[in-house]
Structure formats: structure tokens, C-alpha cells
Amino acid sequence: MIWNERYECMSRDEMREVQSERLREMIERVYYNVPFYRKKMQDLGIEPGDVRGIEDLDKLPFTTKQDLRDNYPFGLFAVPRSEVVRVHASSGTTGDPTVVGYTRKDIGTWSEVVARTLYSCGVSREDVIQVAYGYGLFTGGLGVHYGSERIGATVVPISGGNTKKQIKLLKDFETTVLACTPSYSLYISEVLEEMNIDPEDLPLRVGIFGAEPWTNNMRKEIEEKLKIKAFDIYGLSEIIGPGVACECEHQTGLHVIEDHFIPEVVDKDTLKPLGYEEKGELVFTTVTKEALPLIRYRTKDLTILHPDKCSCGRTSVRMEKVTGRTDDMLIIRGVNIFPSQIESILLEMGETKPHYMLIVDRVNNLDTLEVWIEINEEYFSDKIKKLQSLSMKIKHTIESTLGVSVKVKLVEPKTIQRSEGKAQRVIDKRKK
């Protein structure tokens, strides 16, 4: 299913022409309308005429989340505030929130790109889509909502939480598509089990999951427990919200909406551009946004880009699933560890619940890592010897895979706090 065949299936040369034309126009606008970018470019000795096409991207400055915070709230807007019809913002738990704005045209663009991503997952006007992402300043709920309406699907705007009501509406409204975070979908599956409801009795067939990194092993877990096909959708509020990229039915990477968002991958340390098939930090330049155009925004997400044509017919660059970020990487005694690596190990073993916490501390100037893992009910009633055996097995597997010693703590089912939004996986006491 192709929503916009012209842009989703054009040749690489045609796409480069579209990107280059839009990039030139965007650079002209931000240079004269955003003092922050004008100064950045002047500091580098760059004028708009120096940017002839996407081959000149690496001449341009990077933008970071801190830049948005430093220009809080509206300092990076490229249009008068009278043209901004909506604002969204991050939670601001670590300081001023990052604020993003949308013109009326931006809202139309957002609806279009989300419609493309949903359509690529097989969602159509015949579907009922239950949006269990948060509404409000968070972009997830309203982003998926507008895109769903764009394709003509019936939208159930329930937002996050109130899980038993979620399940009631899944049944009563005959919901066919669930949109939420992957961790929350697993929690829904737990509550279904507690309520003695067989997922196969629900019309649910597709899950659109994003807003947090998740592994292919978690995908298998979700698909098995909810009896659906689970798709990864990617977005971040600074770029537009959900709708930046999404998987198709072949699930061989997420198709980037390249005619609106130019992707790059750079070395996370040197920031030098990397080629296709090389892993690095994902960077986006928005070339059609009016209110908040961003140049080379550093996402902190780690991925690999693939340029080859997909079996679905789309020619857009595909990004691999994000399994880690440069800023959620833990360094334990010199070893780099991502929480997703622990998750993958546990799900491959299949002897515990997919709920865990990483407790990082520093004792006598030595970093320690403790992994709390929920065990299945059948293990909890077993003899201590069997629990010890399972604990040692997990410990050995983690240590041999990651190359760092860990302490494993098995806890009762439902001990680890559930999240109706992004799952909190790490407590780093070294930062306190």
C-alpha cells in the first residue's frame, strides 16, 4: 500500500533534486528570519548562496536540544507568532522544555507524513485506530490522531492510561489498530491475561509502536502476546512528531519521509558524516517546515541507513530500528552498555517477564551494575535452589555477552513499576 507514490517511489536522483531545491529555500528563510542560525552560519563563513544542494549539508552547523532550550520559548521560530497555530513541548524535567511550533501548513504536512507511515503498515479507512499515546503537549497523541483522520480511519482518542477502559473499548469499539508505546502494549497484554480475555477474541490486528527504543525480540513478545503484527514508527517532537519514518509490511527498516526530512548519519565523537551502511548518530534537516525549521538536528539516536529499494516498491532510504541512544549509553568500568542489550538477552532466554530495571552505583570508586528482573509465576513458587540456578544462568549470559560483571536480583511478578508512557529502565545513582 503506497499513500503518495510520487514521493515514496521516485528515483534517488529525483529525490536529491527535490531535497536540494527545498534545502536551498529553507536555508534562505532561516538565514534571514532566525538570528540564531544567521549567527551560526556567519561564524562559519557561510551565506545562503554557498548551499547549492544536499552535497553541501556538511558545511552547515549542527543544532542540538540545548540550542532549543537556550532559545526558549520561541527564539528559533522562523515565522511571526501570529502565524503559529499550535505549539507542543517536551516535559522539561531537566530544565526548560523544548518548544516546537506549527503553522497551518505545518499541520497539513504533519497529517500527510503520518498518513504515509500508517498506510505503510496496512492501515486504511476501514480501520478503527485506538490512540493510546498521550495527548496534550506531547506530540504522540495528536500526531497519530491527525494522520489517522487524514486516511479516513475511525479514531478512538483515549490517550494513555486507564488500562481496563482501554481493553473495554478494544472490545466494544472493535478496534483493529492500537497505537502506543511498546512497553505499554505489553502491560495491556498483562491486564488482558488478568481479566481472562483471549487476545485472539479481539479484532485487533496491527500495533503502531514508538516513542522509545525497542528490540526485535520485544516485537516477537508483543506479537505473540497480543496476536497482532507490530510496527515501529519513529519521530521526535523537534523534527515534527511521529511520522518521520515507519516500517512497511516487510519490516526491513523504517522508511524515512525524505522529501520532508533529510537524514544523515555522523560519527558520534567526531561528527564527521558517515556513509550508508555505517552505524552512527542520526541527524535530520527539515526542509518543508515553516514555523520551526531545523538544520542538522542531532537526535542522539544510533542507527544505520540503507539506500536500496525495498520489496514494497518504496525507494526511500530506510533506517534500522533504533536500539540505543548516545545519551542512554551506560559506561560500566569502561564497557559501553545499552539497556536494549539487556532486554534482548532476557527476551531471548524467555524464562522471565520482559520487565527489568538496571541499578547503577559506585561503591569504593568502582561502578556496579545490578539487574532487577521479574520472574514468571511458575518460578516464584519453586524451590530456592531452582531460583538460584535461574539467577546464575542469567548472570552468566549477561556477563559473557556484555563483558562486565553484574549482580542479578529476581523479583516477584508486578514488582517493577509499569509505565503508561516511556518505560524507565535505568536508575543511575552515580549522578546523585
Side-chain angles (χ1 to χ4, degrees):
M1 292 172 64
I2 308 289
W3 175 258
N4 189 325
E5 188 169 355
R6 178 190 172 194
Y7 288 108
E8 294 181 65
C9 300
M10 65 171 43
S11 71
R12 296 306 311 158
D13 286 343
E14 289 175 313
M15 180 59 73
R16 286 179 67 89
E17 287 181 18
V18 168
Q19 291 175 329
S20 294
E21 180 182 350
R22 292 179 173 181
L23 177 65
R24 289 192 296 269
E25 293 172 354
M26 187 272 279
I27 293 300
E28 184 90 15
R29 282 190 293 113
V30 300
Y31 186 85
Y32 292 108
N33 294 325
V34 185
F36 167 81
Y37 277 129
R38 183 163 59 249
K39 184 178 186 308
K40 277 249 188 185
M41 290 175 67
Q42 288 174 343
D43 288 346
L44 293 172
I46 302 170
E47 294 183 348
D50 297 323
V51 180
R52 297 178 297 277
I54 62 170
E55 66 274 10
D56 295 320
L57 262 179
D58 61 354
K59 295 179 181 178
L60 293 166
F62 289 100
T63 311
T64 66
K65 185 182 284 283
Q66 190 59 47
D67 292 329
L68 274 78
R69 289 186 175 130
D70 290 344
N71 288 275
Y72 173 86
F74 308 127
L76 292 187
F77 283 12
V79 297
R81 203 141 28 114
S82 59
E83 295 182 25
V84 176
V85 299
R86 191 191 306 166
V87 292
H88 283 277
S90 68
S91 60
T93 53
T94 56
D96 285 332
T98 55
V99 178
V100 295
Y102 302 79
T103 64
R104 193 169 301 282
K105 184 181 177 183
D106 288 337
I107 295 294
T109 298
W110 195 9
S111 302
E112 157 74 13
V113 297
V114 175
R116 286 198 217 173
T117 59
L118 295 175
Y119 213 66
S120 71
C121 301
V123 181
S124 74
R125 62 182 299 113
E126 305 301 323
D127 281 297
V128 177
I129 180 165
Q130 191 156 315
V131 182
Y133 288 112
Y135 280 65
L137 288 176
F138 175 62
T139 55
L142 283 168
V144 174
H145 183 120
Y146 271 59
S148 301
E149 288 186 340
R150 182 69 169 266
I151 63 176
T154 302
V155 184
V156 182
I158 189 170
S159 192
N162 204 347
T163 306
K164 289 189 176 179
K165 186 173 183 180
Q166 296 270 5
I167 290 170
K168 176 177 172 58
L169 298 191
L170 285 174
K171 291 173 57 183
D172 297 350
F173 291 2
E174 298 184 337
T175 299
T176 55
V177 180
L178 175 64
C180 63
T181 60
S183 54
Y184 187 47
S185 74
L186 279 175
Y187 182 55
I188 289 174
S189 75
E190 283 188 348
V191 179
L192 280 170
E193 190 175 344
E194 290 172 1
M195 297 171 69
N196 294 315
I197 297 173
D198 188 342
E200 291 190 333
D201 294 335
L202 300 174
L204 197 63
R205 64 180 186 83
V206 167
I208 311 291
F209 304 128
E212 62 187 16
W214 55 302
T215 61
N216 279 317
N217 282 325
M218 181 176 272
R219 186 208 302 276
K220 292 174 188 172
E221 185 90 8
I222 292 168
E223 291 183 336
E224 181 182 330
K225 287 183 176 296
L226 288 177
K227 310 303 180 188
I228 61 173
K229 191 161 185 178
F231 294 92
D232 193 0
I233 187 172
Y234 177 86
L236 57 167
S237 60
E238 297 89 341
I239 300 304
I240 203 164
V244 176
C246 191
E247 292 177 316
C248 67
E249 67 269 25
H250 296 283
Q251 297 179 319
T252 54
L254 290 80
H255 291 274
V256 178
I257 310 295
E258 283 188 276
D259 48 309
H260 294 280
F261 319 111
I262 301 176
E264 296 177 84
V265 165
V266 302
D267 184 283
K268 65 183 180 63
D269 297 315
T270 67
L271 301 185
K272 296 294 184 185
L274 299 175
Y276 292 129
E277 319 293 345
E278 293 186 271
K279 187 171 186 176
E281 181 181 341
L282 183 61
V283 171
F284 278 111
T285 298
T286 67
V287 289
T288 57
K289 282 175 66 183
E290 293 183 332
L292 185 69
L294 293 180
I295 300 173
R296 304 189 81 194
Y297 182 77
R298 295 183 57 191
T299 68
K300 300 294 186 74
D301 289 326
L302 295 173
T303 191
I304 298 171
L305 297 178
H306 301 285
D308 52 307
K309 182 178 179 180
C310 181
S311 302
C312 71
R314 292 176 180 84
T315 54
S316 50
V317 162
R318 284 167 293 136
M319 55 179 276
E320 290 191 4
K321 279 177 69 67
V322 172
T323 54
R325 290 171 53 83
T326 60
D327 57 357
D328 75 2
M329 182 177 70
L330 298 169
I331 302 178
I332 310 294
R333 298 191 293 280
V335 178
N336 297 341
I337 296 171
F338 286 103
S340 56
Q341 292 174 297
I342 304 285
E343 174 186 293
S344 185
I345 290 167
L346 296 177
L347 287 170
E348 280 180 8
M349 293 181 68
E351 297 179 81
T352 65
K353 294 284 187 181
H355 301 289
Y356 64 95
M357 287 287 294
L358 306 183
I359 315 296
V360 185
D361 206 346
R362 183 164 290 138
V363 179
N364 297 326
N365 296 317
L366 185 67
D367 291 342
T368 63
L369 174 61
E370 186 171 5
V371 185
W372 291 19
I373 307 160
E374 280 190 13
I375 56 173
N376 294 323
E377 285 83 357
E378 62 265 31
Y379 275 101
F380 190 70
S381 58
D382 284 334
K383 295 178 182 178
I384 291 177
K385 188 174 181 179
K386 192 168 184 180
L387 289 174
Q388 289 176 335
S389 175
L390 176 61
S391 177
M392 290 302 296
K393 182 179 177 182
I394 295 172
K395 175 181 169 70
H396 173 74
T397 304
I398 292 175
E399 290 180 347
S400 60
T401 302
L402 301 183
V404 63
S405 60
V406 300
K407 181 179 179 182
V408 170
K409 181 178 181 180
L410 303 179
V411 299
E412 295 181 47
K414 300 183 176 59
T415 298
I416 294 173
Q417 184 177 355
R418 300 296 190 262
S419 171
E420 292 171 347
K422 293 189 181 183
Q424 178 66 40
R425 300 294 196 195
V426 178
I427 297 175
D428 194 341
K429 297 181 178 179
R430 297 174 301 181
K431 298 178 182 179
K432 296 180 178 179

